[in-house]
Every structure is written in structure tokens, then in C-alpha cells.
Amino acid sequence: MRLMLPSLLPYVAKLLLYLGTAIALGRGALAFLDSTARPAGTASVDDAGLAVISPARASIRSLLLFATAALLLAPPLLMYAQLTALEMRWSEVPMLLRDTTWGLGFTQLAIAAALASVGVLLRDGSTTSLVSVMTALGVATAMGGVGHASADAEWPRLSRLLDAAHVASIGAWIGGLALVSRGAPSLASWGAFSRMAGIMAPIAVISGFGSAARRLIATEGDGVGEVARTIAMSSYGQLLFVKITLAAIVVWYGVRHRERVQAGEVPVRTGVRRELLLAAALFAITAVLTGTAPPGK
């Protein structure tokens, strides 16, 4: 058990980053893109601290506090996991940060996560919502510095752009869904979310396929068939297949919800919960996938 814990920490830390960033992006995007139709309860934690707190507002507050804790906890977990993997001591952290590519990427990520954790707690409004979005986008961009994109020697900027777009778009989509469903949403609130999700979901799919293509393009083999077999037999390829399958189901649920909203009805709560559970599993698979070497690497 003690041997397994350090090996699981990077995945746990990345999952916390994905969840915290998604909630931050969802909150900021909902309020900034359509403040007149944002769901009840997406005001700040300060506003939620009233004498009488509705169940919906208390649920929103809990989600925002979880996002703050996740964003603050993830960087130390990543650092501990890296020190354990390299058999280094805490006294060697300054050297690790100063002299390695991983250290530079981690520094950017830690700063961005700290700023995003503050942005989540700001009082609601168009300006503070923009701050929340920008700081969460900073986390999404910085994630590439400690993932596969940092090892892409041929097209590093393209890889980081694709990764950032993927994290940001799916984060705003799923984070927005989590928030709007926990409040007391009206049809107007669902309409605002649906319009945002209708933009973010295609970006998430396209950027996800682009990122996967960058990882797999160097796979060696004699002919397309052998390359496909190499990918299919690798741990990366198998995890990628699971991720694509889960993503397809999540998109299917999203399309069904959008159809109901366009028909003048709110989505069924059971379907929304299932979509969120599948999205959480998708984040977990992504956390493992980013720590798995693509075939040929």
C-alpha cells in the first residue's frame, strides 16, 4: 500500500486540477457570457454566507470551496510525487525548479493554480468572472508544461495549444453543467448554458483528437495495419479508446439535453447526473492517460 500511494499521487493531483479548473471555468463562463441568465446560486461564497442559505446555494458554495481546495492541494501533491520518483529531498526543490524543464512547467502551474483558487472565491460580477476565467485558463495552459506537450520537440507550441484548448473547453462545458444543475435553474439559465456548451463541446472534441494525433503520429510500423496494431496493443492506445468511448457517451447526453432545451423543456435530472458521473470518469481516465507513454516514446 505504501509503495502504491506515491505512484498514484500524480494521477490524483491531475484529477484535482481538472475538477478544480472545470468548476472555475464553468462559473466564470456562465456569469461572464450571459450574466442575465446565470443560474441562481452562482454568486460568490461571500454571498452564500447569508443567515438563511437555500439548499441550492449551499450546494453551489460547497462546489466552489471544493474547487479552491483542489487547486491549492494539487501542486504540492505533484511536487511530492516528483521528488519521490526522482528519489530527491525537499531541500533539492530549488534546484529542481531552477534547472529542469519540469520545474519550470511546475512553477507556472503552481502560480496559475493559486491565482485560480482565489478567482473562484471572488464576488460574482462581469469583471470578477473574467478574472476567474483568465486564471483558470492559465491553469489549463500551464498543464502542458508537466504533461506530454512538454516532450513534443517538433511542435511544442501546437501541442500545448491543443492541450490548453481541450482542458479549457471541456472544463467550461462540464463545470458549467455541474454548477447550473446544482442551482435552481430556469429555462433561461439552461438556455445560456446550452449556448455555451454548443460552442465548447465541438472545440473539446476537435482539440482532443488533435492532441491524440500528435501523440500517435510518430508510432512506427510497416503499413497502416501494423501501426494500428501497435497502438491498440499499447496501454496508451487502450486508455485512449476508453476515453473516446466515454467522451462519445457524454456528447450524446449533451445533445439530448440541448434538444430538450431547444424544445422549451429543462433537462431530466437523472440524465444530467449520469453525464456528470461519466465526465468525472473521463477526467480520471485523462489523468492516467497523461502519465502514460504513447507507443514508441
Side-chain angles (χ1 to χ4, degrees), residues 1 14 22 35 37 42 54 72 102 120 124 128 130 157 160 183 197 199 233-234 241 274 297:
M1 185 68 178
K14 290 176 183 178
S35 60
T42 57
S54 68
L72 290 175
W102 185 92
V120 172
D124 205 7
T128 54
L130 178 60
R157 292 182 180 178
R160 294 193 66 164
I199 297 172
M233 293 298 293
S234 67
F241 175 78
R274 288 174 181 171
K297 300 296 184 182

Side-chain angles (χ1 to χ4, degrees), residues 4-24:
M4 290 179 61
L5 185 59
S7 63
L8 292 177
L9 282 181
Y11 308 130
V12 174
K14 290 176 183 178
L15 178 58
L16 289 174
L17 280 174
Y18 295 150
L19 293 173
T21 302
I23 294 168

